[in-house]
Structure formats: structure tokens, C-alpha cells
Amino acid sequence: MLSFLFKGKLDSLEVVERASVPELEQIAIGQPTEGLKSSADGGKIRITYLENGKQMEEEMYAAVSQFVTHLPGTYLSPGYYINYWYIDYIFTFKAGYKKLDSNSKIFQTMIFSFKLNSKWFAKVVNTKEKMVQMIIQGIKTIGKIGKVIASSSSELRDDQLADWERRQQANDRVIQNFCDNIRGVERYNDPFSGNEVELPSGYGNVWANNLGEYIITESPSFNPNVGSNLNWQQIEQIK
């Protein structure tokens, strides 16, 4: 969980909630790559503070990605590890005190309308890759960052395009979970209709039948098929 926070000159800043966000962690890890060990930590933090005398509430999301690769040594030098990490998927929701949750629909619209510029994303990714390659090769990069950026391509390769599309979907999934949490609902796949349904959260066990009826229960041993002439199936929550 991310614990570092910087908000400049603010009064009465208080952290009121911390939580991990598994969706961000999975997205930030990316696709498995041979010879590269990857991990990620995704989380959110909710704070309150005074800004120009007005009490505000803000929720921040971010993910820290870490990539480690081993470079074998030679008879002249030992091998060593390169540890490469960065912070990504950073966004926040801000509103007046106790108005953050009630404005979830506005935040949802904002996030759904956000689109990454593919050429900008390609330039960033290719610059990162070039700098890592230069470090691996032992080339001094200080004072040459401008040249590295200028020489980096603005076109997406197929693997980069897949990552770009995954990032587009990330915002949708995170904000959807944010809104569901506020509304107290969870999403399930209905095997009878083939549709996604919203049901009250916190129960853990959900059953459905072909009439479009649902039973939610906290008891894992409860089975509505017992003593019923209907066909009930336990359904899975969408992760």
C-alpha cells in the first residue's frame, strides 16, 4: 500500500482511509517476460484537509511497478541486478467534505471520457526502453536525456499497443469498482441470462434461477434447491 503523500501547504491534513486496489496491481505488473521478475503494489488513500479555509475530501489512486533483471558476470566482473521501478496509474477524486461519494457519477463520467494519446504513450515507453538499454550497456546517460527522447519513436509496436489498450481499460475498471463500493453493490455473471447483474454487497453467496430471481446469503452451507422445485445455481462474482 502506498504511504507517501505530498500535498504542499495544506492545513489539518488527515488520512482517513487506506486500502489496496488489486485491479491496479494486476494491470501494473503487465505481461510475463522471460528474464524479468515483476511485481506491483496498487492502492488508494483518502484524506481530508483545509484548503483556503474550506474542508476538502480527496481519494488518491496509484500503483508502484518494480522490475528486476539479472545480468550475468564474467571472469573479470561479478554479475549484478538491475532494479527498475516507477509510479504509474496516478489519479485522484476531490470534492468538498462529505461530498466525495455523492459525486461518484461525475467522476465516473470524467474517467470514462479520458483517453491516452497513443503517440505520447509510445514516446514515453520507447524512451524508457532506450534508457534501460543504455544502462545495461553501461553508457552514461546524464546530459543525454533530451537526445534519447528526440530519437525515440512515436509509433506503437503490437506489444505496446496491447499495453496501451490495457491502460485504457484500467481506468474503467477502477472507477467502476469505486462507484460500486459507494453504492454498496457487487457484480455477478448470471448463467441463465448471460448478463451481468448488480446485487447488494457483503453477503458472499449468491444463487440465481431461470426466472431472474436471486437469493443472497452469508451462509456458505445454504442451498435453495433443497425443498424447491426450481433450478437454483450459485453464481460467481465478477473480479
Side-chain angles (χ1 to χ4, degrees):
M1 174 61 202
L2 301 173
S3 58
F4 179 78
L5 179 65
F6 176 74
K7 286 296 291 181
K9 297 180 179 179
L10 297 174
D11 297 323
S12 304
L13 190 149
E14 180 183 359
V15 177
V16 296
E17 182 185 351
R18 292 184 178 92
S20 62
V21 182
E23 295 83 6
L24 277 181
E25 295 177 5
Q26 293 301 315
I27 297 166
I29 289 175
Q31 300 298 316
T33 302
E34 185 177 355
L36 190 68
K37 182 180 179 181
S38 61
S39 62
D41 184 17
K44 66 178 181 179
I45 188 169
R46 183 173 290 206
I47 60 174
T48 63
Y49 53 86
L50 291 178
E51 185 177 54
N52 299 322
K54 182 179 179 181
Q55 190 168 10
M56 306 297 293
E57 190 174 24
E58 188 168 353
E59 190 161 271
M60 303 176 175
Y61 290 76
V64 176
S65 301
Q66 183 181 41
F67 304 94
V68 180
T69 185
H70 177 252
L71 297 182
T74 66
Y75 69 98
L76 294 175
S77 63
Y80 58 95
Y81 290 90
I82 292 179
N83 191 333
Y84 173 57
W85 67 270
Y86 60 92
I87 301 176
D88 209 346
Y89 299 102
I90 304 171
F91 55 93
T92 74
F93 306 116
K94 175 181 176 182
Y97 186 63
K98 296 297 185 182
K99 295 182 179 179
L100 188 64
D101 293 346
S102 61
N103 283 295
S104 62
K105 287 297 183 183
I106 297 176
F107 300 137
Q108 183 177 12
T109 302
M110 292 167 59
I111 293 295
F112 284 171
S113 64
F114 174 77
K115 299 296 180 185
L116 280 173
N117 182 292
S118 60
K119 290 188 179 296
W120 174 86
F121 180 77
K123 180 73 78 170
V124 171
V125 173
N126 287 317
T127 299
K128 286 180 181 178
E129 290 180 354
K130 275 198 171 186
M131 294 185 71
V132 170
Q133 291 169 4
M134 293 172 74
I135 293 172
I136 292 174
Q137 294 169 4
I139 300 175
K140 302 295 184 180
T141 60
I142 298 176
K144 298 181 180 179
I145 293 178
K147 292 182 179 179
V148 173
I149 295 174
S151 63
S152 296
S153 171
S154 296
E155 301 302 321
L156 288 170
R157 303 190 307 265
D158 288 344
D159 59 330
Q160 294 173 341
L161 179 61
D163 188 35
W164 175 72
E165 291 173 342
R166 187 168 62 250
R167 287 167 179 264
Q168 295 290 84
Q169 298 167 2
N171 291 329
D172 293 352
R173 289 203 296 271
V174 171
I175 192 60
Q176 188 69 73
N177 288 339
F178 170 75
C179 294
D180 288 349
N181 181 63
I182 291 172
R183 295 164 53 218
V185 299
E186 294 172 339
R187 295 171 182 270
Y188 291 82
N189 282 319
D190 186 334
F192 294 100
S193 66
N195 296 326
E196 180 181 295
V197 295
E198 295 180 359
L199 297 170
S201 62
Y203 290 90
N205 298 278
V206 178
W207 297 79
N209 65 27
N210 58 355
L211 300 178
E213 299 173 333
Y214 305 95
I215 293 177
I216 54 178
T217 176
E218 295 179 343
S219 174
S221 60
F222 175 77
N223 188 341
N225 288 300
V226 178
S228 173
N229 58 358
L230 297 175
N231 177 22
W232 292 93
Q233 290 187 29
Q234 193 165 15
I235 61 178
E236 298 294 328
Q237 182 182 349
I238 299 174
K239 301 297 184 179

